[in-house]
Amino acid sequence: MKGKTLIFDYDGTIHAIGTANNLLAAMIDNHINHGNELGIDTRKITWRRCVDMNDRQLRFVVDGLGGKANGTPREDGYDITVASEIMAILCLASDIDDLKARFARIVIGYTYDDKPVTAGQLHDGIRIQCLTAWLYPYIGGDTQIRTGG
């Protein structure tokens, strides 16, 4: 591929990856808070938030405390942004359509019947568009990605 080479962290890529990752986490919580029509078992959510630092205190947390308006209490945790699945997907995607397809196939957790739930099942794809919008400048056009964090 012709084009420029990106070096992550000098152009805002790490922030875009973290934002996309945490948007998906918010989508999961929002889905559960608004009726949970997919039947996601909150004890079996595998998608974790991320932060751009290694903070051992955030590896395992309990969130959603403070009543119904603040979410459903559950165990959660944070990963390091550059070790996130979003980072891996960005590095592996060949173009924007591949990026969207890979996002849609992310397994975010399991139902009460132990069936996998994917990011693409959460809504009609509009939010997958949001995920890709943050990362499009880093994969669109003639950009060549050579490093993955």
Side-chain angles (χ1 to χ4, degrees):
M1 283 179 10
K2 294 180 181 178
K4 62 182 179 177
T5 300
L6 296 181
I7 300 172
F8 289 121
D9 207 24
Y10 292 115
D11 58 2
T13 313
I14 302 297
H15 177 73
I17 291 165
T19 301
N21 187 98
N22 293 334
L23 172 63
L24 182 52
M27 288 167 53
I28 296 164
D29 292 335
N30 187 57
H31 177 83
I32 292 166
N33 195 45
H34 288 281
N36 194 9
E37 78 178 45
L38 295 174
I40 299 170
D41 186 340
T42 57
R43 298 166 302 161
K44 297 177 186 170
I45 294 173
T46 57
W47 191 255
R48 294 163 55 96
R49 289 164 165 75
C50 69
V51 64
D52 190 24
M53 71 176 71
N54 183 10
D55 186 343
R56 286 174 174 76
Q57 288 295 110
L58 296 177
R59 288 182 183 167
F60 298 97
V61 297
V62 176
D63 58 16
L65 303 176
K68 183 168 175 51
N70 295 306
T72 302
R74 67 179 180 88
E75 291 184 19
D76 201 352
Y78 286 80
D79 291 328
I80 302 168
T81 303
V82 295
S84 68
E85 189 169 349
I86 298 289
M87 173 63 104
I89 287 172
L90 180 63
C91 293
L92 293 171
S94 57
D95 58 31
I96 196 69
D97 292 328
D98 186 34
L99 185 71
K100 289 177 187 178
R102 288 174 185 269
F103 278 159
R105 292 191 307 261
I106 293 171
V107 174
I108 57 93
Y110 296 87
T111 65
Y112 292 105
D113 299 331
D114 289 323
K115 294 180 180 150
V117 179
T118 64
Q121 289 176 272
L122 288 175
H123 286 285
D124 59 350
I126 301 254
R127 295 204 173 112
I128 297 297
Q129 294 285 17
C130 290
L131 289 172
T132 56
W134 272 300
L135 299 175
Y136 181 77
Y138 307 106
I139 197 166
D142 289 333
T143 302
Q144 184 177 22
I145 298 174
R146 295 249 177 123
T147 179

